[in-house]
């Protein structure tokens, strides 16, 4: 017997009420880092899906380079004044990957000092960007996402768009080497245009204890409306993995770490240039 028209909505309401009952009763699981898969799937990913699919019209390629199981370190370029690229990457990867894998993001200390933001970051699988946490996640077979440019990447001026900043000391490489984990570079194009930073008011940033205080075409002039991201066209491409299992004895060798970090950075930079050629109009279809 075919379903009646109301059956679909009855099912959705029943599932929603069951979800609320589990949340209120505490009948759900989180891991040692605070990751809550059910809340991520039910609340956060649907919201991010509207952004990456409908607002940014994101095209994703190379997902076959991300392992179906086992650990991998996904390393991307950072941009956008507000770090939406990390969230968009995690949601798009989960949706497009055949095994619907979660990306456990490593975030700066500042993220985990902000009351509401910290809780959301933990619930969606994030943790502090430090080698011990990265190695524990990789040792447990997780996909770990890192953006080595940090605030230098998201806080750069629009005039420097798509020019990758330094990758720091290559701590992400050491974590991959110690666990023998493949590194998957990923290039993201589109984030630079969502909040084009025209200036950085450094005295105000110091006063507010922020890494930068951005001035964009819409912020702070339009107040809260200035936080609405511009609808740029996004392209995300995962590159072939770089194996590290043969270099596990070199995790503390600065030369090996630097050379591998430079290889990852150059791979991402070249792929970014290729994606920009495919997307001549930042706000095109």
């Amino acid at each position: 017997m075919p379903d009646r028209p109301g059956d679909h909505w009855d099912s959705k309401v029943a599932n929603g009420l069951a979800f609320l009952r589990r949340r209120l009763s505490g009948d759900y699981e989180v891991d040692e880092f605070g990751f809550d898969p059910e809340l991520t799937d039910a609340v956060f990913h649907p919201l991010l899906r509207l952004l990456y699919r409908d607002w940014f019209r994101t095209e994703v390629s190379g997902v076959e380079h991300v392992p179906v199981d086992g650990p991998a370190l996904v390393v991307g370029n950072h941009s956008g004044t507000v770090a939406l690229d990390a969230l968009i990457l995690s949601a798009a990867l989960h949706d497009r990957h055949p095994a619907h894998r979660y990306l456990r993001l490593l975030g700066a200390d500042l993220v985990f000092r902000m009351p509401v933001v910290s809780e959301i970051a933990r619930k969606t699988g994030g943790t502090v960007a430090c080698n011990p946490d990265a190695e524990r996640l990789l040792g447990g077979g997780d996909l770990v996402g890192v953006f080595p440019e940090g605030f230098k990447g998201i806080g750069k001026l629009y005039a420097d768009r798509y020019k990758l900043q330094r990758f720091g000391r290559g701590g992400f490489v050491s974590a991959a080497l110690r666990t023998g984990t493949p590194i998957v570079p990923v290039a993201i194009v589109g984030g630079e245009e969502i909040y084009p930073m025209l200036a950085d008011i450094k005295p105000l940033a110091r006063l507010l204890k922020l890494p930068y205080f951005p001035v964009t075409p819409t912020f702070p002039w339009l107040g809260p409306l200035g936080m609405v991201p511009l609808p740029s066209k996004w392209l995300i491409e995962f590159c072939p993995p770089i194996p590290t299992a043969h270099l596990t004895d070199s995790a503390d060798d600065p030369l090996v770490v630097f050379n591998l970090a430079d290889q990852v950075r150059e791979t991402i930079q070249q792929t970014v240039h290729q994606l920009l050629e495919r997307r001549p109009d930042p706000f095109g279809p």
Side-chain angles (χ1 to χ4, degrees), residues 263-282:
Q263 179 185 351
V264 174
R265 182 181 179 278
E266 188 60 28
T267 299
I268 296 172
Q269 183 68 81
Q270 290 181 3
T271 307
V272 163
H273 289 322
Q274 293 168 6
L275 293 178
L276 288 171
E277 291 178 2
R278 281 173 44 193
R279 192 213 63 165
D281 180 2

Side-chain angles (χ1 to χ4, degrees), residues 90-131:
S90 64
L93 173 58
H94 179 267
D95 285 357
R96 302 298 175 86
H97 194 278
H100 300 294
R101 301 195 66 182
Y102 296 103
L103 184 65
R104 308 299 297 272
L105 294 169
L106 303 181
D109 292 349
L110 177 63
V111 172
F112 297 93
R113 293 201 302 267
M114 301 169 71
V116 177
V117 175
S118 172
E119 185 70 13
I120 292 174
R122 289 288 184 188
K123 290 290 187 182
T124 55
T127 190
V128 179
C130 64
N131 274 23

Side-chain angles (χ1 to χ4, degrees), residues 61-112:
S61 58
V63 176
E64 66 275 8
H65 296 310
V66 180
V68 174
D69 53 32
L73 186 65
V74 179
V75 182
N77 58 302
H78 222 7
S79 64
T81 306
V82 176
L84 277 182
D85 51 5
L87 302 177
I88 295 297
L89 177 67
S90 64
L93 173 58
H94 179 267
D95 285 357
R96 302 298 175 86
H97 194 278
H100 300 294
R101 301 195 66 182
Y102 296 103
L103 184 65
R104 308 299 297 272
L105 294 169
L106 303 181
D109 292 349
L110 177 63
V111 172
F112 297 93

